[in-house]
Amino acid sequence: MIGPKPEGINVLWLQSGGCGGCTMSLLCADSCNLFEMLSSAGVRFLWHPSLSEETGVEVTRVMERCLSGQVTLDALCVEGSLLRGPNGTGRFHLLAGTGRPMIHWVRELASVARYTVAVGTCAAYGGVTAAGGNPTDACGLQYEGDEPGGLLGVEYRSRSGLPVINVAGCPTHPNWVVETLMCLAFGLFSERDMDALGRPRFYADHLVHHGCTRNEYYEFKASAEKPSDLGCMMENMGCKGTQAHADCNIRLWNSEGSCTRGGYACISCTEPGFEEPGHPFAQTPKIAGIPVGLPTDMPKAWFVALASLSKSATPRRVRENAVSDHQVITPAIRKTRLR
Amino acid sequence: MSRLVVGPFNRVEGDLEVTLEVAAGRVRSARVNSPLYRGFEQILRGKDPMDALVFAPRICGICSVSQSVAAASALANLMKLEPPENGRLATNLILAAENLADHFTHFYLFFMPDFARDVYRHRPWFTAVQARFKAIEGSAAGDALPARAKLLSLMGSMAGKWPHTLSIQPGGSARPVEGGEKIRLYSILREFRRSLEKTLFGDALEAVAGLESARDLEGWMAARAPDASDFRLFLEIAQDLALEKLGRATDRFLSYGTYSQGDGFMFRRGVWDGEFKPLDVDAITEDISHSWMAGPAKPQPPAHGVTQPLAEKPQAYSWCKAPRLNGDVAETGALARQVVNGHPLIRDLVAQSGGNVRNRVIARLLELALVVPAMESWVRALEPGAPFCHHAPVPEEGCGVGLTESARGSLGHWLEVRRGRIHNYQIISPTTWNFSPRDAQGVPGPLEQALVGAPVQEGETVPVAVQHVVRSFDPCMVCTVH
Ligand code: SF4
Ligand code: SF4
């Protein structure tokens, strides 16, 4: 039977070099009452920076009780990247009221946590804060980009024996976080449930391409040329949906959305290093007219052959709608009964 | 005189530390420190100008769309591009949805739970407030979270997702609305209106928006039981605790104006210091005398600003720079917006008691009543089939300024492009204004001024009055330093 462990789990949530967007996104969960749902699953917040009552010393006391073992810390959730600069001091983020670098707090708390969870790409891999010249020497909990290591090091394991669970995404989908926490509370999460980059497989074993409403345009290589066009965004607009691991077009955002449904490219925000794609985000890099990043699992020769074949077979409706901001030609009506 | 260091503050977005000098049960002076630096202005240098649309929203998860709008307007300014009417309406709708969700979240999840703290257990309203607003457990969260999620489903439709959309473009919106969708958007707004009218106000939005004076407001209050609605309950608390005497800052108010319509804004641009004045954008400078920043000693206009962190610097105590208007401190936010725009109730309240905890909260809730009807009219005005986005190339050289209003106040982006790349990108966020440190003249920022005189009870390590003042600004610390 599925049910929360009778004792439930205690969650401590800390924010560092991020934007708070993962928390804001969490509050968009479609459930009738997020707090009730979590508490009925046995998920208790020891402290959350945006939600709890405690401020100041009340908070440091909570953290100290976790460290001394008076309170069991089941899940340490960290949102935002870990700032090691300047010069390894961690001074770019001293936790307010404590005068101590946040990275020290995180290292200590991670050593007593049963599970350590990176919420968002910042905390998982470094994320946008590590972009450009990485002025704050930002990294993830257990990764720096796609290099294992990060703040806690390759060898780190939480008390459960698991490495850091990377709920990557910028921001994270509310249900990626809720379901991860619930799996932990229900004792239903093991190393088998994580992919090679530490992401929960329940969402990372999908591609953004799955369920994309532009699939017909993709099939015929009928491509958008400018923002607001309806066509497929892979060829020109920088879309990485055919390579990005996430279920964004299956599990929709804010009830009915996703990046591609919102009219813009998937920039593969669940992937380490997405912040420095090596090209302008909204432009597809190409060699000899062929996109450099081909769909995952697809050999280049096949792609080229299929693309030229499907381009030559594109119906006029699909071709013209692809470069328009509304359907200029509607699908023809056919009798589909067997004749 | 004793010193009190308060932090981390929760229910403010990001990390905040306040150092107080306390004597005879009152705050004598305050220093506000934003202890987190991320370096977005440094990160943006050298990037493709359009990449600002990816980075800017990620400055802040709570004003993500405002950051997008500021970046898109700076680019539009550079590209000499005007969005079509549909693009303008779509941007207004997306921006308004974020701003209203912010006001709503601030009231229910961030601000009100402090009145359910134990220190107030002897107040007559305590039982009602505790049942309704206790952090995480109170019944209000059960009403507010679903209403908020529902409102933000407008983002799912019009912006793909929230936070961090890329649908807002310099030329309008990348997400055209199709014919059948208008009615869906409209019904989202009607549902949000219903929840505001039922639980927040207990009255029609138009009735609240139509309150014209402090006396009107008193009459409105007197006609209702203290627990008739959440707004009414707040007014009860405000009266009992005299929140209009708490948290007064400088009473110079700034608004960049927002929700573009015709050739102006629904809420106009300007400055209020007892009378209305037009805003001179060139009079804005940033002072770094008390910031952990290297650069010229003379305050710089943002177009020429530099951002170079310097962790060891005498006198400095914050990563935040100190923006000034004509060298003066200015407060920004919903109260500033409404006093500048001339809402009669707000003008009257400010005339009587200035900027303070009560008035800031009233102005925020008033905006919910003012903007939802405007959103309904924008949805009606959308014209499916007509263009949503205009297009133009990005020039290799040039400058652009993008000014907008987020829920918590005036937000500006200053962009310079050279040889097709971002040469300089400077951001002044609302909380940078409100939570700025002292300037070279030693003049404290708005929050630092507002905290002076706040009561500190015997034995309080985290004075609750200080928390009310801090949260009354609806601060966003991640934006502040970016
Ligand atoms: S991962 Fe993205 S949304 Fe989450 S904190 Fe980092 S920047 Fe914000
Ligand atoms: S569609 Fe791509 S960029 Fe958008 S949220 Fe999903 S993984 Fe991230």
Side-chain angles (χ1 to χ4, degrees):
Chain A
M1 217 204 68
I2 295 187
K5 300 193 164 169
E7 70 279 17
I9 61 166
N10 288 331
V11 178
L12 176 67
W13 189 297
L14 299 177
Q15 290 176 332
S16 192
C19 73
C22 290
T23 287
M24 284 301 124
S25 178
L26 177 65
L27 293 177
C28 295
D30 284 333
S31 77
C32 30
N33 181 348
L34 173 71
F35 297 154
E36 256 170 34
M37 184 174 67
L38 288 172
S39 75
S40 70
V43 177
R44 265 190 313 271
F45 281 113
L46 292 174
W47 190 66
H48 184 296
S50 318
L51 308 174
S52 303
E53 182 176 292
E54 297 83 355
T55 280
V57 279
E58 302 160 342
V59 184
T60 20
R61 248 181 252 136
V62 172
M63 301 199 295
E64 268 147 18
R65 276 203 292 271
C66 290
L67 290 175
S68 70
Q70 272 168 289
V71 172
T72 316
L73 175 55
D74 294 297
L76 171 67
C77 292
V78 178
E79 175 182 358
S81 28
L82 292 312
L83 310 183
R84 295 168 299 185
N87 308 319
T89 59
R91 270 223 41 195
F92 282 129
H93 187 194
L94 301 182
L95 177 63
T98 73
R100 286 187 69 206
M102 189 60 141
I103 52 173
H104 293 183
W105 284 106
V106 169
R107 273 200 202 105
E108 284 182 6
L109 288 160
S111 72
V112 300
R114 190 142 67 97
Y115 302 102
T116 299
V117 183
V119 180
T121 303
C122 288
Y125 309 123
V128 285
T129 316
N134 192 358
T136 55
D137 200 11
C139 65
L141 282 170
Q142 208 171 4
Y143 277 87
E144 181 159 4
D146 51 12
E147 285 291 316
L151 181 75
L152 299 175
V154 186
E155 303 301 327
Y156 170 81
R157 293 293 178 271
S158 59
R159 279 194 298 114
S160 63
L162 291 187
V164 174
I165 302 167
N166 289 326
V167 188
C170 184
T172 40
H173 190 292
N175 295 356
W176 299 345
V177 177
V178 170
E179 284 176 26
T180 303
L181 291 177
M182 285 173 65
C183 285
L184 296 180
F186 288 11
L188 287 176
F189 201 89
S190 70
E191 201 149 356
R192 279 195 311 279
D193 299 305
M194 296 162 74
D195 79 354
L197 292 164
R199 300 176 293 200
R201 290 178 51 189
F202 67 83
Y203 77 89
D205 277 358
H206 292 278
L207 295 175
V208 167
H209 190 51
H210 300 162
C212 178
T213 48
R214 297 177 189 237
N215 273 347
E216 194 187 35
Y217 298 103
Y218 172 83
E219 286 158 17
F220 289 109
K221 294 284 150 296
S223 296
E225 289 168 0
K226 53 195 186 305
S228 83
D229 283 353
L230 300 180
C232 171
M233 296 184 289
M234 177 195 171
E235 190 177 351
N236 304 314
M237 312 286 292
C239 187
K240 301 197 165 144
T242 56
Q243 306 162 70
H245 285 241
D247 57 5
C248 301
N249 273 310
I250 301 170
R251 179 200 304 266
L252 297 180
W253 291 73
N254 300 104
S255 303
E256 26 198 289
S258 72
C259 293
T260 57
R261 288 166 202 232
Y264 49 95
C266 165
I267 57 172
S268 198
C269 75
T270 57
E271 189 188 310
F274 89 96
E275 68 279 0
E276 283 296 334
H279 60 85
F281 282 97
Q283 279 172 33
T284 306
K286 297 180 206 176
I287 294 177
I290 298 163
V292 174
L294 293 181
T296 294
D297 310 318
M298 192 159 193
K300 183 171 171 188
W302 283 38
F303 181 81
V304 174
L306 274 177
S308 62
L309 186 64
S310 50
K311 270 205 178 178
S312 65
T314 310
R316 192 167 73 92
R317 167 178 62 85
V318 177
R319 194 168 55 236
E320 290 191 15
N321 287 346
V323 289
S324 167
D325 65 359
H326 61 286
Q327 281 207 46
V328 283
I329 306 179
T330 55
I333 296 177
R334 283 278 172 82
K335 293 190 180 129
T336 60
R337 283 164 291 164
L338 287 176
R339 266 176 289 176
Chain B
M1 192 88 85
S2 66
R3 165 178 286 221
L4 204 55
V5 180
V6 191
F9 270 83
N10 62 325
R11 287 174 286 118
V12 304
E13 204 41 58
D15 207 3
L16 166 69
E17 180 177 278
V18 176
T19 305
L20 306 169
E21 304 286 342
V22 181
R26 302 245 162 224
V27 172
R28 295 296 137 160
S29 84
R31 284 174 181 248
V32 178
N33 169 12
S34 313
L36 169 66
Y37 174 81
R38 286 180 303 151
F40 271 76
E41 292 161 333
Q42 289 179 283
I43 289 170
L44 279 162
R45 294 187 76 139
K47 300 253 175 260
D48 183 272
M50 292 295 275
D51 284 354
L53 296 175
V54 171
F55 285 98
R58 288 170 171 88
I59 292 168
C60 173
I62 198 163
C63 355
S64 165
V65 162
S66 312
Q67 299 285 356
S68 298
V69 169
S73 340
L75 287 162
N77 187 225
L78 167 78
M79 294 153 80
K80 315 244 177 306
L81 195 58
E82 287 272 342
E85 188 57 16
N86 272 340
R88 211 144 70 133
L89 293 166
T91 305
N92 280 352
L93 279 162
I94 298 169
L95 180 61
E98 174 175 277
N99 287 345
L100 298 192
D102 257 20
H103 285 343
F104 192 73
T105 315
H106 176 265
F107 181 76
Y108 278 106
L109 299 186
F110 299 168
F111 184 73
M112 291 301 281
D114 282 324
F115 299 106
R117 285 173 174 270
D118 250 12
V119 282
Y120 291 126
R121 66 188 171 279
H122 300 305
R123 310 311 312 174
W125 37 262
F126 183 73
T127 322
V129 170
Q130 195 192 30
R132 187 102 184 105
F133 291 105
K134 176 102 184 145
I136 301 189
E137 295 153 28
S139 67
D143 294 330
L145 281 171
R148 174 183 183 278
K150 182 75 204 188
L151 171 65
L152 290 174
S153 68
L154 185 135
M155 297 293 198
S157 294
M158 298 196 64
K161 70 178 199 290
W162 183 87
H164 305 346
T165 179
L166 269 171
S167 69
I168 296 165
Q169 295 285 319
S173 167
R175 171 61 167 87
V177 173
E178 287 174 45
E181 289 178 316
K182 275 176 67 164
I183 202 71
R184 221 156 69 214
L185 297 173
Y186 196 66
S187 67
I188 292 171
L189 294 174
R190 297 300 294 190
E191 201 171 312
F192 188 58
R193 169 191 275 271
R194 254 199 312 281
S195 88
L196 294 179
E197 294 187 334
K198 191 163 147 250
T199 45
L200 179 58
F201 294 118
D203 201 352
L205 298 188
E206 285 73 9
V208 177
L211 295 170
E212 292 202 337
S213 60
R215 169 180 274 195
D216 269 9
L217 185 65
E218 277 157 30
W220 189 88
M221 233 181 122
R224 287 165 176 77
D227 59 354
S229 68
D230 294 331
F231 179 45
R232 176 66 184 81
L233 191 54
F234 164 74
L235 293 174
E236 189 70 15
I237 299 170
Q239 193 168 53
D240 182 47
L241 300 178
L243 294 182
E244 79 282 2
K245 297 208 176 75
L246 188 66
R248 188 154 182 177
T250 180
D251 286 359
R252 184 178 304 101
F253 299 99
L254 162 72
S255 168
Y256 290 160
T258 189
Y259 305 132
S260 89
Q261 59 184 20
D263 47 14
F265 302 101
M266 171 178 167
F267 296 145
R268 74 168 147 169
R269 173 176 294 180
V271 180
W272 177 267
D273 56 3
E275 56 179 346
F276 176 85
K277 292 185 180 134
L279 169 68
D280 175 9
V281 179
D282 295 331
I284 297 171
T285 52
E286 283 197 298
D287 175 299
I288 56 166
S289 57
H290 292 76
S291 327
W292 289 307
M293 292 285 160
K298 190 165 168 279
Q300 294 292 312
H304 302 129
V306 279
T307 302
Q308 191 54 52
L310 178 66
E312 304 299 333
K313 179 171 164 183
Q315 297 233 319
Y317 61 91
S318 177
W319 292 108
C320 184
K321 297 181 187 174
R324 296 291 185 260
L325 180 67
N326 288 314
D328 291 328
V329 169
E331 171 176 341
T332 180
L335 181 68
R337 222 159 24 234
Q338 293 314 320
V339 78
V340 167
N341 197 50
H343 192 281
L345 169 64
I346 298 300
R347 283 259 172 103
D348 194 27
L349 291 174
V350 168
Q352 291 185 8
S353 56
N356 55 55
V357 171
R358 181 197 68 183
N359 292 351
R360 289 184 194 112
V361 175
I362 292 177
R364 225 172 257 128
L365 298 181
L366 176 72
E367 282 200 343
L368 284 160
L370 290 168
V371 176
V372 167
M375 290 176 80
E376 290 166 351
S377 75
W378 297 331
V379 167
R380 279 196 296 270
L382 286 171
E383 259 188 71
F388 276 76
C389 197
H390 284 157
H391 310 279
V394 183
E396 291 282 300
E397 308 274 330
C399 297
V401 183
L403 304 178
T404 187
E405 287 280 310
S406 80
R408 49 195 59 71
S410 305
L411 169 65
H413 286 198
W414 283 260
L415 159 75
E416 184 183 349
V417 172
R418 284 196 201 162
R419 287 197 215 96
R421 296 270 148 184
I422 294 174
H423 178 74
N424 198 12
Y425 206 106
Q426 291 286 314
I427 302 153
I428 304 183
S429 296
T431 311
T432 321
W433 285 98
N434 289 337
F435 283 23
S436 80
R438 285 157 169 71
D439 55 30
Q441 282 65 49
V443 181
L447 174 66
E448 295 182 330
Q449 296 186 19
L451 283 170
V452 173
V456 178
Q457 313 296 336
E458 195 65 42
E460 265 191 320
T461 48
V462 197
V464 73
V466 166
Q467 302 196 49
H468 298 325
V469 176
V470 165
R471 295 205 180 88
S472 75
F473 286 91
D474 187 12
C476 174
M477 304 311 296
V478 283
C479 271
T480 308
V481 182
H482 36 268

